[in-house]
Amino acid sequence: MDPAHRPKLKSAFKKARVIAPLHTAGPVAATPDGSKLVTCVGEDALLTDVKAGVEICRFAGDTESITSLCITPSASHLLLFTSSLSLRIYEIPQSPNPQAKLVKPVRVVARAHDAPVHVCKADPTSTYLASGSADGVVKVWDILRGYVTHLFKGHGGVVSALAFNYPFDPSSVVREQKMQLITASVDTRIRIFDLSAAAARASSGSKPEAVLEGHVSVPRGLDVSPDGKWLVSGGRDSVVLIWDISSKASAAKKSSKGKGKETEFSPTLYKTIPVLERVEAVGLLHPDEDLAGAPSGAGKLRFYTGGEKGLVRIWDAREGNVLFTLGQEQDEAAEDQEEQRQIVDAIYLPATSTIVSVHADQNILFHSLSTQTLSRQLIGFNDEIIDATFLSPNLPIQASAPSALSDTHVALATNSSLIRVYSTSSLDARLIAGHSEIVLCLDRGAQGRVLASGSKDRSARIWAPIRPRPGEEGAAVPDWRCVAVCEGHAESVGAIAMSRKSFSGDAAPSGSGSDSLRFMFTGSQDKTIKMWDLSSVPLTAPEEGEDAQVVKCKSLTTHKAHDKDINSLDVAPNDRLLVSGSQDRTAKVWEIDYVVTSAGVRGELRLLGTCKGHKRGVWCVRFGRAERVLATGSGDKTVKLWSLDDFTCVKTFEGHTNSVLRVDFLNAGMQMVSSASDGLVKLWNVRDEECAATMDNHEDKVWALAVSSDESTIVSGAADSVVTFWQDCTEEQQVEKETQRAKLVEKEQDLQNYLALHDYRNAILLALSMAQPGRLHSLFASLTSSSVDDDDDSSAHAKTKTPSITGHPAVDEVLRTLPGTDLVRLLRYVRDWNAHAKTSAVAQRVLHAVVKLRAAEDIARAFDEDAALAAATAAAAAPAEDDTFGKALPAEPLSVEGRGTTALKELIDSMIPYTERHLTRMEKLLQDSYVVEHLLSEMDDGLFGELGDDDEDSGHMAMDIDRAVEIAA
């Protein structure tokens, strides 16, 4: 390759997006506008921005599972109950930006009930919270103040549903100040309680106004119309009951005594509607709700149900018939799959005309009432992710190079028979059903326009997207349908590879008939490789309602290829070679003979060579896209590069600490990316066999690895149910490094300028900010030499000079006024200098100056400020793990006084031993100097005293010698 056109090596990838578990089990709540969703993952509740698909925050739990939660209609507070029987109240963050810190509760009621709470509901005014426990007790709480306003007992078992009735008449000026609480329990009865102050004062305040009997099994859903006239209830007895509860209004106003009120109030059963499935959720639609194909109006009474069949049905309450059904009904499914698919809860969002259904298999579906379509699907839990591949369902037939429509979706094979197809820009996803067993492998064909899958059910299937009708806007994630089936293997299909050339014709596709697929290979546990003819498989699936003719693919050839399971297959970019990797520790290269004739299609495989050298099974094989090389990843923790000319190993890459599960090429074969059982994704430079980058965001085996067409994105999926999108940020890092280097050069020049201008204050502050103790030491050391030079000046100038501790008055002033954090940093440098005899003199001088110029309280305060700053920085960087069970968090910042005592003590303790050693050394040096002085004085008296004092020349000589000795000393 021409060096001038050789692509630059990638050196850094950043974590751009993560698809993590969204909902594992437990209750779900949505804000009234449908923009945010609260779900449970393990023992934590998390808030997700539905449209952006980003986790906004997590709420600090108490390590117990969440039994019930709800959001106030004003979307200001989240209220949840846990298995520890505590009520925790949180303020919901209004900012859409993600927060790393856990949201702490504003109030915790330690023992809210004596039994687990399974249902809770906030009233329309967001003032009260009703909670029903398993021991038949219902409590009404004041949300902001945290106390119980009402207590209702007498339910015969677990409380199963709650609803507030706060009638609103648009024609009246003042809203009626009468609120009711309607409860349902396992004893199949529905009770209506009056929450008004007058009823609470009466002797029968804790008794229900009315008890409704009509269900024969536990009611699971209750809802009241906005005008307070109608009550709908649905239960596991497969019926929905419509109650008229408006008769109480006039009777209650006329009556003045409690008894009269009780006898005159008698709600009536208006209609019984058989639903023919166990109802888990029921609710009334808003009267103004505009349903497609159904007129709306004040007189209309419509409701929705969700239950065991996994469908949301919209009913006309007066007629008792189904208006339409939301969701797809499966024709035939196993009993366990039916249990998985059933609806456990449904949330109606009038603001967006949406019904959110929560299913037992942790999927959350958003159904649009106006279009009667599935507008969004969130997959709560993916389990172990086994394989992944990019898809381009909207890519036109004519497009060949990577474009904006390339790699818009990613398909995931998980520990399930359902294939997940995610949008790469949001959490919106679709499930593809068809296989009867776990899907083990995926591959894409025709540049991502079709998807191939292999499964434990011993078959391979080819899927194509359903094209939207002309003029209709396609969904964010299109539905996929099976267009071909390949059956014939005796064991599960664990490896699959489609032809890399998109079309069977050699000429460029024109959409006139040459736009068909070529062939596909499957590898199985039965140790054979099969070649399939795909020439009759369409690239698009027929629309809904049309007959879906599934093509039965014909096997062109079958080869017993290996002695053990076949783990991986790959087809060369030119469609001429096939490589297979197996547990028998070998990779075999085959020549593909594919001929299209008038009589039909002929295909054959011929073994070219075997790559031997791995010590464990080969998990992955990949052809180079630019050169005649082959990469293999093995259980022996290595990646090997093989030459396709003589099938010898040319390079070995070592660095993973466990089995290498996936490998792929980047940058025209100059780099490779690999994933392994150690949870790491590594980027390798092929030329020097070095690891250029390591990406770490997984806690388990990384089975899935996919590279986008433009090589800017890598997707990794692991057994920890996390999918990570890694974005190439090499250029960003280089620009950032260049900017930092330019800033450093500017600071260096500024420092030199300050020193030349004797601007010691700015020089010291700049050296401290640059964290350069060497420069600081040189600066302080130069002050002593300059002071010696100054002493050699005229004595008159020396007398006018102000005394200085460090050697320069300006530096003294800097040390006197140095900010607290900078002073702490300087003292830490002094501690390091003090540990070496060579630099101890400067350390002692600076320490002496600091002690002389600063008060002890000043130094202690500086350490307190530094400790407080470090604590604040650490808290901002990492989410708080601990939990506070106090009533409320303090609003004012904590005091900084005393925080730095430990750091100051450690600093002093580390300086004292070295200072004592330096003092001992100086004292010894002083004693030695006395001995030298004594010897010199004795030598002077003995040597020159006998010559006589009258010799003036000799006197002058003695004075010169004495002076020379003094200078030398």
Side-chain angles (χ1 to χ4, degrees):
M1 187 181 290
D2 185 7
H5 297 93
R6 183 175 293 162
K8 289 182 180 179
L9 293 179
K10 301 179 189 295
S11 60
F13 280 82
K14 66 180 178 183
K15 185 170 64 178
R17 271 193 70 228
V18 173
I19 300 175
L22 177 72
H23 175 60
T24 52
V28 174
T31 55
D33 61 357
S35 62
K36 298 185 181 76
L37 198 69
V38 175
T39 53
C40 302
V41 175
E43 290 83 33
D44 295 332
L46 57 99
L47 183 69
T48 305
D49 186 325
V50 173
K51 190 173 183 181
V54 177
E55 179 184 310
I56 297 174
C57 67
R58 289 189 177 232
F59 299 95
D62 58 358
T63 69
E64 294 285 342
S65 60
I66 298 167
T67 56
S68 179
L69 61 80
C70 70
I71 295 175
T72 58
S74 61
S76 58
H77 289 82
L78 168 70
L79 313 128
L80 61 83
F81 292 87
T82 65
S83 297
S84 64
L85 311 180
S86 67
L87 163 61
R88 304 169 72 80
I89 303 174
Y90 303 86
E91 287 185 350
I92 296 177
Q94 299 305 313
S95 170
N97 300 324
Q99 299 181 14
K101 208 171 180 180
L102 290 175
V103 176
K104 298 293 181 68
V106 294
R107 187 175 299 280
V108 176
V109 180
R111 194 174 177 85
H113 280 267
D114 295 328
V117 176
H118 293 294
V119 287
C120 64
K121 187 82 179 264
D123 83 306
T125 63
S126 302
T127 309
Y128 302 106
L129 165 73
S131 58
S133 67
D135 59 359
V137 175
V138 174
K139 291 183 180 180
V140 181
W141 305 80
D142 187 300
I143 293 173
L144 292 179
R145 296 176 182 84
Y147 61 83
V148 177
T149 61
H150 298 75
L151 176 66
F152 302 115
K153 295 182 179 179
H155 298 84
V158 180
V159 180
S160 59
L162 295 168
F164 279 96
N165 179 22
Y166 193 38
F168 175 64
D169 186 4
S171 60
S172 66
V173 179
V174 182
R175 186 162 187 166
E176 186 182 351
Q177 296 300 314
K178 183 177 180 68
M179 187 182 289
Q180 290 178 318
L181 177 65
I182 304 168
T183 67
S185 61
V186 172
D187 64 0
T188 73
R189 293 182 175 89
I190 297 169
R191 293 170 174 82
I192 302 177
F193 296 93
D194 191 350
L195 300 182
S196 64
R201 283 194 297 269
S203 58
S204 60
S206 63
K207 291 183 180 179
E209 277 189 299
V211 178
L212 311 181
E213 297 187 12
H215 284 285
V216 296
S217 183
V218 50
R220 289 287 294 128
L222 293 172
D223 198 14
V224 184
S225 61
D227 58 4
K229 179 176 171 60
W230 301 104
L231 166 68
V232 60
S233 63
R236 290 180 177 163
D237 52 4
S238 302
V239 296
V240 170
L241 305 180
I242 311 294
W243 305 84
D244 183 355
I245 56 174
S246 62
S247 59
K248 66 181 188 300
S250 58
K253 284 180 182 176
K254 288 175 186 175
S255 170
S256 58
K257 293 183 180 179
K259 284 186 179 178
K261 185 165 126 186
E262 190 176 342
T263 53
E264 287 185 35
F265 175 39
S266 56
T268 56
L269 179 62
Y270 173 74
K271 197 172 186 66
T272 301
I273 300 172
V275 182
L276 305 180
E277 67 167 335
R278 291 197 306 273
V279 176
E280 294 294 325
V282 65
L284 287 164
L285 298 183
H286 198 276
D288 299 330
E289 186 66 67
D290 183 26
L291 303 179
S296 63
K300 292 288 181 183
L301 188 64
R302 294 159 302 185
F303 65 92
Y304 64 88
T305 59
E308 61 177 327
K309 292 183 180 177
L311 304 173
V312 175
R313 289 194 172 95
I314 309 299
W315 300 75
D316 187 322
R318 299 186 190 279
E319 300 293 331
N321 59 347
V322 179
L323 295 175
F324 55 86
T325 302
L326 300 171
Q328 292 182 348
E329 189 166 4
Q330 303 294 332
D331 299 332
E332 50 187 51
E335 190 175 338
D336 58 337
Q337 286 184 328
E338 282 187 6
E339 290 177 8
Q340 290 272 310
R341 207 169 49 245
Q342 67 184 9
I343 291 175
V344 294
D345 194 11
I347 305 163
Y348 172 47
L349 305 173
T352 56
S353 297
T354 301
I355 291 179
V356 182
S357 60
V358 183
H359 295 252
D361 57 1
Q362 296 109 11
N363 292 327
I364 302 169
L365 277 61
F366 288 69
H367 302 279
S368 171
L369 290 171
S370 53
T371 61
Q372 298 184 15
T373 57
L374 180 67
S375 58
R376 191 183 303 275
Q377 179 169 347
L378 304 180
I379 296 173
F381 187 60
N382 281 320
D383 206 355
E384 293 191 25
I385 292 156
I386 303 168
D387 205 355
T389 185
F390 278 100
L391 296 175
S392 311
N394 303 318
L395 193 67
I397 296 295
Q398 289 78 15
S400 57
S403 67
L405 295 174
S406 298
D407 305 328
T408 53
H409 298 77
V410 63
L412 303 177
T414 66
N415 205 4
S416 161
S417 61
L418 304 173
I419 302 169
R420 277 91 162 136
V421 178
Y422 275 89
S423 165
T424 53
S425 57
S426 70
L427 277 181
D428 198 5
R430 295 292 182 271
L431 295 172
I432 308 178
H435 284 290
S436 57
E437 294 279 349
I438 291 172
V439 177
L440 297 175
C441 54
L442 298 173
D443 195 21
R444 65 178 197 165
Q447 296 173 317
R449 295 180 185 91
V450 294
L451 171 68
S453 62
S455 166
K456 270 190 174 180
D457 62 9
R458 299 179 292 185
S459 72
R461 287 176 180 262
I462 297 170
W463 314 83
I466 299 173
R467 296 286 177 194
R469 293 184 179 90
E472 282 189 8
E473 187 179 347
V477 182
D479 287 315
W480 293 68
R481 183 178 288 182
C482 180
V483 291
V485 178
C486 306
E487 293 175 328
H489 281 291
E491 296 286 343
S492 58
V493 178
I496 196 164
M498 298 188 77
S499 59
R500 299 297 173 226
K501 284 186 177 178
S502 305
F503 306 101
S504 57
D506 293 331
S510 61
S512 59
S514 63
D515 49 353
S516 60
L517 300 165
R518 288 163 61 85
F519 53 80
M520 181 177 76
F521 292 95
T522 55
S524 168
Q525 275 189 337
D526 61 13
K527 304 157 195 168
T528 63
I529 297 174
K530 281 183 176 287
M531 183 178 185
W532 306 89
D533 175 27
L534 305 184
S535 56
S536 57
V537 177
L539 286 176
T540 57
E543 296 173 0
E544 290 290 341
E546 298 181 23
D547 291 334
Q549 191 65 36
V550 178
V551 177
K552 298 277 187 182
C553 294
K554 185 181 76 170
S555 172
L556 297 176
T557 182
T558 304
H559 274 267
K560 183 181 181 301
H562 289 274
D563 298 330
K564 291 187 178 178
D565 297 357
I566 296 170
N567 291 329
S568 180
L569 295 173
D570 192 36
V571 176
N574 60 5
D575 275 359
R576 293 183 181 174
L577 298 176
L578 170 76
V579 61
S580 58
S582 166
Q583 282 296 107
D584 63 7
R585 300 179 289 182
T586 64
K588 293 187 178 181
V589 182
W590 311 78
E591 185 181 11
I592 301 170
D593 183 16
Y594 178 77
V595 181
V596 181
T597 61
S598 56
V601 178
R602 183 170 56 83
E604 193 55 61
L605 283 177
R606 187 167 59 87
L607 183 65
L608 292 180
T610 305
C611 302
K612 296 180 180 178
H614 281 295
K615 297 174 183 175
R616 293 283 186 275
V618 177
W619 281 111
C620 185
V621 288
R622 275 291 179 275
F623 280 110
R625 298 192 183 95
E627 298 175 348
R628 287 179 56 81
V629 289
L630 167 71
T632 57
S634 165
D636 61 10
K637 311 175 191 176
T638 64
V639 178
K640 287 184 182 286
L641 202 65
W642 309 80
S643 168
L644 290 178
D645 296 325
D646 52 5
F647 307 107
T648 57
C649 178
V650 291
K651 288 181 186 293
T652 301
F653 301 84
E654 297 180 346
H656 282 292
T657 58
N658 216 324
S659 304
V660 179
L661 303 175
R662 291 288 183 271
V663 65
D664 209 340
F665 282 92
L666 287 173
N667 248 349
M670 294 170 63
Q671 289 183 298
M672 286 193 306
V673 60
S674 63
S675 67
S677 295
D678 55 12
L680 301 176
V681 179
K682 286 183 177 286
L683 180 68
W684 305 89
N685 292 338
V686 172
R687 186 180 296 276
D688 52 13
E689 300 181 34
E690 285 188 359
C691 178
T694 300
M695 294 158 261
D696 183 8
N697 192 46
H698 298 286
E699 297 174 356
D700 212 333
K701 299 174 181 174
V702 185
W703 283 108
L705 190 71
V707 181
S708 62
S709 302
D710 59 359
E711 298 184 349
S712 64
T713 306
I714 297 172
V715 168
S716 60
D720 58 1
S721 184
V722 173
V723 179
T724 310
F725 289 76
W726 304 97
Q727 195 77 32
D728 180 18
C729 62
T730 307
E731 289 187 11
E732 292 175 28
Q733 268 202 359
Q734 287 176 347
V735 170
E736 191 178 342
K737 281 181 183 175
E738 195 62 34
T739 307
Q740 288 179 349
R741 195 182 66 81
K743 286 181 180 176
L744 187 62
V745 169
E746 288 177 8
K747 285 184 176 180
E748 294 269 2
Q749 188 59 52
D750 288 343
L751 187 62
Q752 297 291 344
N753 294 343
Y754 290 145
L755 289 174
L757 296 169
H758 298 292
D759 186 352
Y760 292 113
R761 178 178 183 80
N762 285 326
I764 291 172
L765 290 173
L766 187 58
L768 282 169
S769 68
M770 291 168 67
Q772 293 194 349
R775 289 289 180 86
L776 267 177
H777 181 270
S778 304
L779 192 151
F780 286 121
S782 66
L783 291 177
T784 57
S785 59
S786 64
S787 66
V788 170
D789 295 340
D790 289 344
D791 288 343
D792 292 341
D793 292 347
S794 61
S795 58
H797 176 69
K799 283 178 184 176
T800 59
K801 189 179 175 187
T802 50
S804 168
I805 302 173
T806 57
H808 201 286
V811 177
D812 289 1
E813 186 60 29
V814 172
L815 295 181
R816 186 183 292 109
T817 59
L818 204 61
T821 52
D822 288 338
L823 179 63
V824 172
R825 192 179 293 130
L826 176 63
L827 286 173
R828 285 180 179 145
Y829 292 156
V830 167
R831 174 194 60 192
D832 297 339
W833 298 337
N834 197 45
H836 300 281
K838 190 184 292 183
T839 55
S840 62
V842 173
Q844 288 296 322
R845 192 183 315 109
V846 175
L847 182 62
H848 174 60
V850 170
V851 172
K852 282 284 187 184
L853 297 169
R854 305 290 285 255
E857 294 82 5
D858 196 10
I859 297 173
R861 196 181 306 113
F863 273 87
D864 289 342
E865 290 174 7
D866 184 69
L869 182 66
T873 308
E881 295 291 338
D882 59 333
D883 186 14
T884 53
F885 285 86
K887 288 280 181 184
L889 291 176
E892 69 277 354
L894 294 171
S895 172
V896 299
E897 188 174 351
R899 281 193 169 200
T901 309
T902 307
L904 180 57
K905 184 177 181 300
E906 287 176 356
L907 185 89
I908 294 171
D909 288 346
S910 61
M911 292 174 90
I912 287 173
Y914 287 105
T915 305
E916 288 176 345
R917 186 187 298 177
H918 299 323
L919 184 61
T920 307
R921 185 162 52 83
M922 294 304 293
E923 287 177 347
K924 188 174 181 302
L925 197 62
L926 189 61
Q927 289 175 2
D928 292 346
S929 70
Y930 289 152
V931 174
V932 172
E933 188 179 3
H934 174 69
L935 287 173
L936 287 172
S937 63
E938 286 296 318
M939 288 170 63
D940 287 351
D941 293 344
L943 192 62
F944 305 111
E946 299 172 358
L947 298 176
D949 297 333
D950 53 346
D951 190 354
E952 293 180 2
D953 295 337
S954 300
H956 286 300
M957 186 185 297
M959 289 172 64
D960 292 341
I961 290 171
D962 287 345
R963 186 176 175 188
V965 171
E966 281 177 12
I967 291 170

